[in-house]
DNA sequence: ATTCTATATTGCAATATTACGATAAAGATT
DNA sequence: AATCTTTATCGTAATATTGCAATATAGAAT
């Protein structure tokens, strides 16, 4: 049914999965990498950078904005986007502290 | 249309977005955290641990297995799952090297 | 051999995502 | 003011995801 039973999961689990979901599309990864490469805010270059239509890109930007991975500010008649370091750090911290805490099984264990 | 134009993105962009997509659901985050907590392989406890039906959980496990985040091996009449460190490291590396390379804008810049 | 237990698969319904053409909105330029 | 440029929104179609009941599968236990 597509009903997401997010009530049964912790706040943190819902939050991190939302962030990961936002990273779960190559176009959005490409957008983020483009912003990274520029080492600064990017004003009005994103549409010409991606092999997608302007409405589609606008939609992807919106999704990244919704989870605070990027922020945008109006600059003249174009919009400047930049990465939100705070959110990126949240992702980094989760991966660092949680995921990388995985331990190798001892020899003789099942995996 | 849901047509994913993955041909236009790099191999790495497609790969990392697939991994992130697999992390983009609270149930799958919960599964991973459960495996982490156990510090070992887990045989036959996952279904009772989550507020979802057995088929649904099986499906989520399959998705995690498809992208090699977990691996499972048959052990008697139950199945033991464990995390695949290699893939977790791939995620960690990407986040570390790529995402955390983001730089703060200098004062006076647009964001 | 039959039954039990654990997991996978199938089939299907509800919802979400992805994509884009058409159009709107808003500031810049002429 | 009319036009251009850039971005957002609307409407809609195609596809994917999520969830579960029913059922299948496979090894264990009786």
């Amino acid at each position: 049914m597509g009903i997401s039973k997010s009530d049964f999961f912790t706040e943190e689990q819902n939050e991190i999965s939302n962030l990961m979901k936002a990273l779960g599309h190559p176009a959005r990864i490409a957008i983020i990498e483009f912003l990274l490469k520029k080492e600064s805010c990017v004003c009005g270059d994103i549409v010409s950078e991606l092999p997608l239509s302007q409405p589609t890109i606008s939609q992807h930007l919106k999704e990244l904005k919704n989870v605070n991975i990027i922020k945008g500010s109006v600059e003249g008649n174009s919009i400047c986007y930049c990465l939100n370091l705070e959110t990126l750090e949240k992702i980094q911290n989760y991966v660092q502290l949680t995921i990388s805490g995985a331990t190798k099984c001892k020899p003789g264990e099942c995996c």
Side-chain angles (χ1 to χ4, degrees), chain A residues 7-64:
Chain A
D7 295 351
F8 296 115
F9 300 102
T10 70
E11 191 91 6
E12 198 202 23
Q13 285 167 342
N14 286 318
E15 191 186 7
I16 199 71
S17 65
N18 275 331
L19 289 174
M20 294 307 193
K21 186 156 70 174
L23 300 179
H25 191 288
R28 295 194 289 269
I29 290 287
I31 289 170
I32 290 171
E33 291 183 353
F34 183 60
L35 291 176
L36 279 168
K37 206 175 57 184
K38 289 293 176 185
E39 289 194 4
S40 168
C41 48
V42 167
C43 307
D45 287 330
I46 299 181
V47 169
S48 56
E49 199 66 21
L50 292 183
L52 292 169
S53 73
Q54 181 271 319
T56 302
I57 292 170
S58 180
Q59 203 172 303
H60 283 304
L61 288 168
K62 192 179 179 185
E63 281 173 71
L64 289 171

